[in-house]
Structures are given as structure tokens and as C-alpha cells.
């Protein structure tokens, strides 16, 4: 600043300042050393007079001359150093007010920030961009920083300055595209947006902060300054052991939840994060689930998107409370021994005017070419994975949730839409990669690096891919050529088995392969078996409603299906309400139908899921080799005529194997001989047809005795009673 300004600026510069068109306000406003002394310039709309006061003493040391009626003042102070502390006193007919001058404060960001942002390796981007209540150069206030490289001017606007873009235009950091300003006297809770003038001089719609950590409750959509670094965590013990809890050898059973419709309060209001901690957390623990997975909690403008069209990637939704409230919810999960996964959406973002789209008047976060940058299915923008700053932004966001909120893992939404350039596009609607192929090489690199960062910086965390194609190595390490995810949703298993279950049992014999086909590839990835929210919306009905037959058969089918799922290799996931047989399709606008638990059949399904989770957790054979072929042996895979399936699950040496037998017809099978690897008594651990679950009560009370009669390729065998539409689990006794 020294010697860079003359004591009086030109009329053209004055006009640019009062019209908020000046692209370098810090070169003009604030204190500047000149041959005549220190010149101070300030733009204070509404002021008729402006005095300079010595900071601390409050002594008036000069009065500035009005250069423009819009509130621009200028004046020279003799015998003062350029860095001296001062405040301003404004006067008009309505009164007097004192204020700090934001333009007397030095930058907060440094050269290392510029370097890392330019390089795309600023892993803790949220600590430097966004809005932060800090102390700077002896004053308390808020530091704002935003990336908008193609903007001609950026201002912070809010209630604190009358949403007037003239008052707080920001400092451009040359070469990196970041704008920043420290505004004294602001504090946590202030509401703000960015007013951006594009390169062509036009004003962009007011933008929320891409790295803002708080947001207003919809339909308002401004950002809110929130502290996230001062929460007192009590989950050190959980974090120390979660690596074992989330390994491929561990029992992982996930309850997928949409916080806005798990339950509602009086007047159909949203529950708070604290209320959810009081009710949801103990419920999930009591049901035996090891994890909650939340549909996206990032701030989003439209309830009907369920969070999958997020605007505030760094802000937990204000529908349920503040960031501190959300942190307390996470902490309560961990105190209860419950892991917490978040759905994360790096594949696309909405076109809402206050969001990332054409953020600085150009296609900044998205591809400019709609063949690459617009998702036709969801009417959303697609991130430009070829742009260093965009990839850095998303990588930092993934680390943000793992770091600041102690999240245990990220389930990455719509991975296939990122992997393929021609995803849901016709010929001519997509741009091939540099080799002429359909693979999005930049997105592949993005995901690989995201997984390396997540696992490298947060050992014990996990990532899960919702990937619906046969892309190889989704859950293989990046060093082995994979994408590096810890787990992959088994979408093929889900679609095949649900289609089978929807058929009349009389016809299932012709579709037997739909239940066995998944075992051909069950160990090619670390799979999660998902019965997710997508299967109970858009006219699909609930799982219960998709089962054939009368009411008794519908419930029996559902219970047998759950038995098949819990006995099948792979980690487990149910969407909320499925654990008690929700009858209606999911409705995001209201809570689940908890009153159904007054009905015995629904109670029975709930108790069965609870017992399945307990068996899954307590019997190592059901989880230790979920992702390993050593843990599975078919006993009878080919009895299509009777729609019976039988297999063995194995754990580590010395642990008992588990026999799983499932009958998907309403016909009881008595005297059914099954081959077994060992003679002796086998105890019936789970029977989905038990009376306490709402079944007929048929079964093998006391267990069965396996004798030395070879069957199904095994040295021993036993005769069973297989109830109608039921799954049975047997464990060797001793």
C-alpha cells in the first residue's frame, strides 16, 4: 500500500466505488501512505459527516471530506503512520454511530493458502474459505473468503450492511481467484451472502457461501456464520475401536434413515437433533443395528429432494437445529456404540440460483458443455472433475465431515453416473474421453484420490459406493487398480431378489436362479446388501405390499426374505420402517406409521429383525467371511421345484458353522433331508415362522440330530421340518 495511492482519487474512481464496480477496493479504501500524509478513504452510505477517532483514546484526530453524496469520504492525516489504529464516527440527521473500518485490516490468508489452493491440495479448505468468527489485528469480527476467479467484484452482504454491495467489497488475491475481507464487530450467527459482479458487468444472483458451515432454514437460503471448532467431544473410546467395528470381518447392520420423516413432533414439525438423539439412537441400538446411515444432511432447499440436491455441502441442515446440535447427535451415537454414515453427493448439484451454478457468472463448478455438465435425469449440474479447484473442494468436503463431525463413513451416491460419460445419454449427447471411450477418467481419478485421503487421514473410517454396474474393483484398493471404496452396494442382488419375491410362489420355480445368481459374484467386491429408500418410493410401494398373497402370506414372505438376507453373505442395510413391516410407501412429508406396532404381525417383524441382528452379531460364521468365499458353501442350490435353498456359513477355525434353509413356497416340507458337515445335534437358532414373529409355529423345537448318512456331498445329514414361507438357521451344538 505504501506510496501506491495519491491523496485524491479521480472522479472515475469515485464513481466506480459508489456504483460497486471497482475490482480492487483495498487499493483505494482504507489508509494509504502518500507524500502528503496518510490518506483515509471510506464508503459509509447514509453518513453526512465522517470523523476519524484514535483507537483506544477515542480522540477525534481528523474529519474526512465528502467526495460523493452516496457516502464516500476522503481525507489526509498528518504525522500518523499508515498502520495506526482508528475507528470512524458517522453522523447524519438521525444520529451518530461508530464503526471499524474493514479496509484498515491486513489479509488473513497467506501465501501458503494461495499455493495450496492453486495446486488443489488444500485438504483443510474449510478452515480458510467460508466465514469464520476470529480475532484479527486486535479486533473481533468475521473473516470471509470465497473462490470466484472470473468475477469483476465480490461483496459480502447481509443484515449487518443492509444487503448493500457497496459497503463491503472484498480483496482479490491475485492469481488464485479468491476474494477475502475481515469485517470487525461481526459475530457468530450473522446472516450473509455474496454479491458478485460478473466479468461482463452484470450482477449474478446473490450466492450462498460454498464453504459456509451454517444456513438459514428454508425457504430462506442465506448462509449463517457458525463455529464448528469448539465442540467438546466425548467419543475418543469409540474412535479408537471403530476400525475393528467397521472391518470386513465385523458384523455391520445398517439402518438407513431420513431424519425428516423417521418421526415427527406435534403439528408435524421436524424433530430436533437432540430429540433424535433421545429417540432414534436408543431405538437403533435396541434393534441391534450397528450403524445409522443418514440420507444427506447437507443443507438443501427442497424437502422433496431428500437431501440429494444439496446446496450447502459444509452445513448440516438447519431443519433439525444448529451445527453444534448435529455434533451432539453424532457424539450421542458414539457414546451408545453406534456408527454413523452419511450419504454424500459429489455427482451433481441443483440449479437453484443461490447455489453453485454459474457461481461467478461462468460455469465454474460445472462443465460449460451441457453434454458434460448437465444431468438430464435430475435437471442438475455435474461437477467438473477436470478442474483442480473443484476436485479440491469436494475432497476437502469429504474430509470435513470425517474430521469436524467425527462421521464414521461416507456412502457415495450415484457413483455410476460419475463413472460413465454416456450415463443415461443417447448417442451424440455425450463427449468421449481422450481415448474415445465412455469412461469418465477424471471422475475415476477423483474417486480414487478421495478414498486415499479418507482412509489415509482417518484410519478406521469407511466409504461405500452406490454403484449399479459391473465396473471392476470398486471396493479394491487403488494400489491394486481399484476405486478404493471399502464397500459397494450390491444393487444386482437387490433387484434380482426383490423381483423374485414379488412373484406368486407357484411361479417361483421358474425364477430360482434369481436367488442363486448373486453367489456367482458375491465375493468379487466387499458387498452391502441394500434394501434402501429407493425401493419404497415412486409407486413401488412398501416391501410388505410387494409380497404376494393374503396378509398372512405377505408377512411370512417378508420374514422369510429377511432370513434369506441375513443368512446371505454381505453386510446388511434396511431403510427405516422396513424393520417393522411399514405398510404404506415411504412419505417424506410425515413420520413412519409407528401405530402399526400395536398390531401383532408388525411386532413380529420387528422382533425378528432384532433377533436376526443379534444372531448376526453373536455367530461369527454369519459375518467373519461376509466378503470372502471361504465363508460360504452351497448345500442345496438347485431345488427349484420346491423353491428350497440351503447353504452353510463358516467363520474362522474353531467357530461353529451355521446352516441356513429357506422355503419360498407356502407348502410345509416335513422330513426334508439336508446334508451337514458334522454329525450330532444342530440347534434351531432362528425360525422366521415362529409364533412370536407372527408365524404358524411349525419348526424343529429342540433342534435336529445329524447322523452319519451322507447327503448333498456331506458326510452327515438330518431330517428337518421346513415351515411354509420360512427361513431357518441351525448351529452345531458344541
Amino acid at each position: 500500500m505504501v506510496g501506491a495511492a495519491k491523496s485524491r482519487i479521480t472522479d472515475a474512481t469515485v464513481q466506480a466505488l459508489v456504483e460497486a464496480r471497482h475490482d480492487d477496493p483495498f487499493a483505494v479504501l482504507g489508509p494509504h501512505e502518500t507524500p502528503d500524509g496518510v490518506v483515509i478513504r471510506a464508503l459509509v452510505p447514509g453518513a453526512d459527516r465522517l470523523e476519524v477517532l484514535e483507537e483506544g483514546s477515542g480522540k477525534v484526530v481528523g474529519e474526512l471530506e465528502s467526495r460523493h453524496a452516496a457516502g464516500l469520504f476522503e481525507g489526509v492525516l498528518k504525522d500518523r503512520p499508515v498502520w495506526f489504529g482508528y475507528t470512524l464516527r458517522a453522523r447524519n440527521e438521525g444520529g451518530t454511530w461508530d464503526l471499524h473500518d474493514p479496509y484498515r485490516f491486513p489479509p488473513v490468508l497467506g501465501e501458503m493458502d494461495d499455493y495450496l489452493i492453486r495446486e488443489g491440495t488444500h485438504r483443510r479448505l474449510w478452515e480458510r474459505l467460508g466465514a469464520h468468527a476470529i480475532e484479527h489485528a486486535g479486533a473481533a469480527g468475521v473473516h470471509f473468503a470465497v473462490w470466484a476467479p472470473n468475477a469483476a467484484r465480490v461483496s459480502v452482504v447481509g443484515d449487518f450492511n443492509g444487503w448493500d454491495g457497496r459497503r463491503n467489497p472484498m480483496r482479490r488475491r491475485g492469481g488464485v481467484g479468491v476474494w477475502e475481507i475481515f469485517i470487525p464487530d461481526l459475530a457468530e450467527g450473522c446472516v450473509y451472502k455474496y454479491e458478485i459482479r460478473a466479468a461482463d458487468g452484470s450482477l449474478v444472483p446473490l450466492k450462498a457461501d460454498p464453504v459456509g458451515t451454517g444456513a438459514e432454514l428454508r425457504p430462506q437460503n442465506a448462509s449463517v456464520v457458525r463455529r464448528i471448532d469448539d465442540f467438546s467431544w466425548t467419543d475418543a473410546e469409540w474412535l479408537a475401536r471403530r476400525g475393528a467395528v467397521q472391518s470386513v470381518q465385523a458384523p455391520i447392520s445398517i439402518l438407513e434413515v431420513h431424519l425428516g420423516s423417521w418421526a415427527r413432533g406435534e403439528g408435524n414439525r421436524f424433530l430436533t437433533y437432540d430429540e433424535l438423539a433421545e429417540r432414534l439412537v436408543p431405538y437403533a441400538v435396541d434393534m441391534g443395528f450397528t450403524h445409522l446411515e443418514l440420507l444427506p444432511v447437507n443443507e438443501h432447499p427442497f424437502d422433496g429432494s431428500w437431501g440429494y440436491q444439496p446446496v450447502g455441502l459444509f452445513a448440516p441442515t438447519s431443519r433439525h437445529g444448529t451445527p453444534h446440535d448435529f455434533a451432539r447427535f453424532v457424539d450421542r451415537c458414539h457414546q451408545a456404540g453406534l456408527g454413523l454414515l452419511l450419504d454424500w453427493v459429489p455427482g451433481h448439484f441443483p440449479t437453484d440460483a443461490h447455489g453453485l451454478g454459474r457461481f461467478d457468472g461462468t460455469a465454474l463448478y460445472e462443465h460449460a458443455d451441457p453434454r458434460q455438465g448437465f444431468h438430464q435425469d435430475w435437471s442438475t449440474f455435474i461437477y467438473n472433475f477436470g478442474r483442480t479447484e473443484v476436485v479440491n473442494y469436494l475432497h476437502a468436503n469429504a474430509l470435513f465431515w470425517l474430521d469436524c463431525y467425527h462421521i464414521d463413513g461416507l456412502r457415495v451416491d450415484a457413483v455410476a453416473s460419475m463413472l460413465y460419460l454416456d450415463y443415461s445419454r443417447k448417442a451424440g449427447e455425450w463427449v468421449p474421453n481422450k481415448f474415445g471411450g465412455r469412461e469418465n477418467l477424471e471422475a475415476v481419478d477423483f474417486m480414487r484420490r478421495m478414498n486415499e485421503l479418507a482412509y489415509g487421514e482417518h484410519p478406521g473410517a469407511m466409504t461405500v459406493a452406490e454403484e449399479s454396474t459391473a465396473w471392476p474393483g470398486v471396493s479394491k484398493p487403488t494400489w491394486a487398480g481399484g476405486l478404493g471404496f471399502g464397500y459397494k452396494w450390491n444393487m444386482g442382488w437387490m433387484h434380482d431378489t426383490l423381483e423374485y419375491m414379488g412373484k406368486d410362489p407357484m411361479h417361483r420355480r421358474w425364477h430360482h436362479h434369481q436367488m442363486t445368481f448373486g453367489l456367482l459374484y458375491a465375493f468379487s467386491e466387499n458387498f452391502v446388501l441394500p434394501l434402501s429408500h429407493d425401493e419404497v418410493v415412486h409407486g413401488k410401494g412398501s416391501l410388505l405390499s410387494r409380497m404376494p398373497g393374503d396378509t398372512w402370506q405377505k408377512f411370512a414372505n417378508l420374514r422369510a426374505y429377511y432370513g434369506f438376507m441375513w443368512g446371505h453373505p454381505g453386510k446388511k442395510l434396511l431403510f427405516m420402517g422396513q424393520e417393522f413391516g411399514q405398510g404404506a410407501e415411504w412419505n417424506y412429508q410425515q413420520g413412519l406409521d409407528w401405530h402399526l406396532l400395536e398390531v401383532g404381525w408388525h411386532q413380529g417383524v420387528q422382533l425378528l429383525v432384532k433377533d436376526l441382528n443379534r444372531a448376526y452379531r453373536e455367530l461369527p460364521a454369519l459375518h467373519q467371511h461376509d466378503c470372502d468365499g471361504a465363508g460360504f458353501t452351497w448345500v442345496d442350490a438347485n431345488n427349484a421345484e420346491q423353491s428350497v435353498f440351503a447353504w452353510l456359513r463358516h467363520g474362522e477355525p474353531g467357530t461353529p458353522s451355521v446352516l441356513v434353509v429357506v422355503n419360498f413356497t407356502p407348502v410345509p416340507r416335513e422330513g426334508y433331508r439336508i446334508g451337514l458337515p458334522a454329525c450330532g445335534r444342530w440347534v434351531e437358532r432362528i425360525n422366521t415362522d415362529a409364533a412370536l414373529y407372527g408365524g404358524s409355529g411349525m419348526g424343529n423345537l429342540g433342534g435336529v440330530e445329524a447322523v452319519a448318512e451322507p447327503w448333498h456331498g456331506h458326510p452327515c445329514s438330518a431330517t428337518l421340518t421346513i415351515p411354509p414361507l420360512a427361513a431357518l438357521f441351525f448351529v452345531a451344538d458344541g
Side-chain angles (χ1 to χ4, degrees), residues 11 184 207 299 338 357 383 407 417 432 586 602:
D11 290 343
K207 294 291 187 178
E299 195 58 79
L338 190 65
Y383 288 104
I407 298 303
S417 74
W586 172 46
H602 293 279

Side-chain angles (χ1 to χ4, degrees), residues 144 164 351 477 497 565 646:
F144 300 89
D164 186 346
T351 59
T497 59
M565 176 180 176

Side-chain angles (χ1 to χ4, degrees), residues 3 11 34 105 118 162 166 186-187 223 233 241 249 266 337 369 371 397 462 485-486 489 564 588 590 603 632 667:
D11 290 343
T34 74
F105 291 89
R118 189 182 300 111
R166 299 172 299 169
L186 298 186
S223 299
W233 292 91
R241 66 184 180 89
Q249 291 82 30
E266 63 281 359
D369 188 334
R371 295 176 299 170
N397 184 245
M462 61 191 281
F485 286 94
W489 273 20
F564 178 88
Y588 71 90
Q590 63 186 43
Q603 293 175 7
F632 182 88
V667 180

